[in-house]
Amino acid sequence: MQRRKFLSLGALAAAAAVVPASLSAEDFRKSKPAVWTAKTVDDAIAKMYGKTATSSDAITLTAPEVASNGGQIPVGFKTDIPAKTVAVFQDANPESAVVAYTVYPESVIDYSIKMKMKASGTITVVVEGQDGKLYSASKKISVALGGCEG
């Protein structure tokens, strides 16, 4: 009985060692460091993708019109576009890039994040499609000073 347990645990360990290698994501901070120091959204998108994005109604971007706390603004975005990557940018903070995700085929793109903005500005979500095209959606957010919405 001990031998069977040992063999089954060994097989399980071997399978677990193979799975992470097939699910690895690109570390954009290492592969594209200039994106994370870009001061404008257009510059960050150009450094990330090498081209500009076109506005698309196929991306749904949800965020409050007025954020009473710029330290934790809830942002949601979803799309049915078959994608390779999804990235979020903003124009209120010194560096524009917020986050970038590697997307695998057949993945459901329905994400939500909380982000910081020191002042009012625009959030832009860019989806790099499997076809190589860039799609984007933007939303302006007013950040209330001092968290008092006044």
Side-chain angles (χ1 to χ4, degrees), residues 21-135:
S22 65
L23 296 176
S24 63
E26 182 177 354
D27 184 352
F28 292 108
R29 288 198 182 269
K30 287 184 182 176
S31 64
K32 301 181 184 221
V35 173
W36 307 100
T37 57
K39 305 298 181 199
T40 67
V41 172
D42 290 339
D43 190 30
I45 292 171
K47 288 180 180 179
M48 179 80 170
Y49 298 108
K51 51 189 169 185
T52 59
T54 57
S55 184
S56 174
D57 292 336
I59 302 169
T60 304
L61 174 58
T62 56
E65 298 288 327
V66 177
S68 60
N69 183 354
Q72 53 181 350
I73 301 171
V75 177
F77 45 95
K78 63 182 176 177
T79 186
D80 291 329
I81 297 171
K84 288 192 240 179
T85 63
V86 177
V88 180
F89 305 93
Q90 53 72 41
D91 63 1
N93 297 337
E95 286 85 23
S96 294
V98 176
V99 67
Y101 298 100
T102 300
V103 180
Y104 296 97
E106 307 304 323
S107 293
V108 175
I109 301 171
D110 187 0
Y111 300 156
S112 61
I113 62 172
K114 287 197 177 183
M115 59 181 284
K116 292 182 179 183
M117 289 177 66
K118 71 175 187 174
S120 299
T122 302
I123 296 173
T124 302
V125 174
V126 175
V127 175
E128 178 187 20
Q130 292 287 344
D131 57 5
K133 295 180 183 176
L134 296 183
Y135 307 91

